[in-house]
Amino acid sequence: LPVLILPGDIFARRNVAPVLQQLEWGSSQDISVNDAFKPVSRYWDRINRPEQLIAALPEVMRVLTSPADTGAVTLAIPQDVQAEAFDFPDSMFEKRVWHIARPRPDSQLLNKASELIRKAEKPLIIAGGGVKYSDATAELKQFAEKTGIPVAETFAGKGSMPWDHPLNLGATGATGTPGANQFSADADLVIGIGTRYSDFTTASRTAFQNPNMQFININIAEFDAFKQSALPLTSDAKVCITELGSMLKDHSVSHEYRSKAAKAAGDWALQTAEITKPLGKTPVRQAEVVRAVNDFVDEKDIMICAAGSLPGDLHKLWKAYNTKAFHLEYGYSTMGYEVAAGLGAKLAAPESEIWVLIGDGNYLMMNSEIATAMQEGIKFNIVLLNNHGFGSIGALSESIGSQRFGTRYQTKEKENVEVDFAQNAASMGAHVITATTIESLKEAMAEAKKQTRTTVIVIETDLFEGVPGFAWWEVPIAEVSEIESVQKAYKNYKEKKKMQR
């Protein structure tokens, strides 16, 4: 996503030093904390003279408007340079339109891709974020319906297909559905569209088990197009799907295969209803909260999440009503992202109701943006799930035999540390509602929607009753341990490693 970062920097004149943000290093006097942005910036520059902007800004826009190379751009501007004046040429401020191209695929490779698809008996499409970024959701739906090829969605690709479409198998990979993962294991051809094949998408490289499997990758970035030793269609997803579809207009998978996909999608819909069914117990389960919020939101509403166990549950269970309804930062699983992202989403989509789903551990990382929301008069909704600790890491710890070590809000004497989240949010000016049951949660959401200021709904959830997983994710386990549960987990780990391709 294109974002321009303009941080202040150390003095270009070096007349005072060391100053704030400066890092002293014996081999250079030109290092500041802004150099830390270099590894995550697509373009990075330090403006030591005002006129350098004449050369820098066109490069900034080239990167920000590139469909392949867009991302964070950092222009570090020293404190003294910020205050300087310069007589820039008038031409620099003339209106300029940056046209974003849609590169077409190589015709020879496109023909090969068409041949591979025609020969495949069990093809599968994996839809990544690139489907949405290129505005290719309608083309994907049409392509899937014409060919009968089922679709599985990554985190970024969720919402690429209507959630209730019979060819949408739902989430894929480590946090995937049974149907999507079974089709991945059996597929003889995977068509990756706009995906970077993250560790979660490939279930730590155990997802694809067919020894004769081949890959076709449609991706604007050459780097991602070549992954998995694929036939690379380095191109815009929208134009590529359209051209490929026209070449396959008379082709379809077997009726049996299409029906099998529809059954898998239907089975998961039934299983989802069972997993999320309210049991009437307190504390409520996280899956019940997900369903309640999902059932309440409107088609224009936006759900935001980032880290913990919620992303995996949402990937499997959330019904995305449109391409913007499901916003989940899982490239880095950034704890604390959610509250700030809720504020930003409301600025970007003021006509939408924003619902931030966040666990207590993440909330404590960066809840301070509630104060910013109050300051700026920005309203969004936070549903805070309190399970008294780090539920995701606790469950992961348990799965590898480490017995949830250090993942509860407890003293060394095992006494619970009680955090009053309602009082915390209220202290920053938020409207706060406490819910205990699913019914009271629904009432709270209705009240929150009527509010004109940021609202926080606090509900306690069960720490131990989670949504089942249907795939493996590799987390290394100690080869030598005196703990019996770790020894047992390591044996299972070695067996799973044998499945990696």
Side-chain angles (χ1 to χ4, degrees), residues 42 67-69 218-227 233-235:
R42 294 288 189 164
D69 294 328
I218 301 171
N219 207 296
I220 194 69
E222 185 180 64
F223 175 74
D224 291 315
F226 275 82
K227 286 180 177 177
L233 298 178
T234 307
S235 59

Side-chain angles (χ1 to χ4, degrees), residues 351-362:
E351 73 286 351
S352 299
E353 199 74 29
I354 309 300
W355 298 91
V356 172
L357 269 63
I358 187 169
D360 51 340
N362 286 351

Side-chain angles (χ1 to χ4, degrees), residues 88 113 130 183 247 252 330 341 359 373 397 405 412 464:
F88 289 95
F183 272 73
M247 298 175 71
S252 175
Y330 219 47
S397 169
F405 176 76
K412 292 180 180 179
F464 301 103

Side-chain angles (χ1 to χ4, degrees), residues 356-379:
V356 172
L357 269 63
I358 187 169
D360 51 340
N362 286 351
Y363 174 85
L364 288 175
M365 296 274 179
M366 196 168 75
N367 52 40
S368 56
E369 292 307 308
I370 292 175
T372 305
M374 301 307 301
Q375 169 190 317
E376 300 298 326
I378 299 169
K379 188 260 177 168

Side-chain angles (χ1 to χ4, degrees), residues 205-217:
R205 294 191 177 268
T206 63
F208 312 119
Q209 290 295 310
N210 190 324
N212 299 315
M213 176 175 290
Q214 293 178 287
F215 287 84
I216 297 171
N217 286 346

Side-chain angles (χ1 to χ4, degrees), residues 60-256:
V60 165
M61 290 307 300
R62 175 185 62 80
V63 174
L64 289 176
T65 58
S66 167
D69 294 328
T70 193
V73 169
T74 301
L75 283 187
I77 306 181
Q79 297 174 50
D80 49 346
V81 178
Q82 291 179 40
E84 294 179 16
F86 183 77
D87 188 13
F88 289 95
D90 291 342
S91 60
M92 181 174 167
F93 303 102
E94 293 175 359
K95 181 178 179 179
R96 179 173 178 178
V97 177
W98 294 78
H99 297 278
I100 300 176
R102 288 187 178 275
R104 298 173 62 184
D106 176 82
S107 58
Q108 185 178 357
L109 293 177
L110 196 65
N111 284 324
K112 288 185 177 180
S114 174
E115 292 172 12
L116 286 177
I117 294 172
R118 288 180 181 278
K119 292 177 181 177
E121 295 181 1
K122 298 178 180 179
L124 173 69
I125 295 170
I126 293 184
V131 174
K132 295 193 287 184
Y133 298 150
S134 65
D135 194 25
T137 53
E139 286 73 18
L140 173 64
K141 180 173 176 287
Q142 185 180 33
F143 182 86
E145 289 173 346
K146 280 187 174 181
T147 62
I149 302 175
V151 176
E153 298 173 321
T154 70
F155 274 105
K158 194 166 177 71
S160 297
M161 286 273 284
W163 68 269
D164 55 352
H165 195 286
L167 287 172
N168 186 356
L169 299 170
T172 188
T175 53
T177 68
N181 287 340
Q182 188 59 59
F183 272 73
S184 295
D186 296 340
D188 55 4
L189 177 67
V190 168
I191 307 167
I193 307 178
T195 177
R196 60 195 183 96
Y197 291 103
S198 73
D199 182 36
F200 265 69
T201 298
T202 69
S204 299
R205 294 191 177 268
T206 63
F208 312 119
Q209 290 295 310
N210 190 324
N212 299 315
M213 176 175 290
Q214 293 178 287
F215 287 84
I216 297 171
N217 286 346
I218 301 171
N219 207 296
I220 194 69
E222 185 180 64
F223 175 74
D224 291 315
F226 275 82
K227 286 180 177 177
Q228 306 292 336
S229 299
L231 176 73
L233 298 178
T234 307
S235 59
D236 173 75
K238 186 171 185 174
V239 297
C240 188
I241 294 171
T242 300
E243 291 193 26
L244 194 56
S246 65
M247 298 175 71
L248 295 166
K249 57 186 177 182
D250 60 339
H251 174 74
S252 175
V253 298
S254 68
H255 176 73
E256 179 186 5

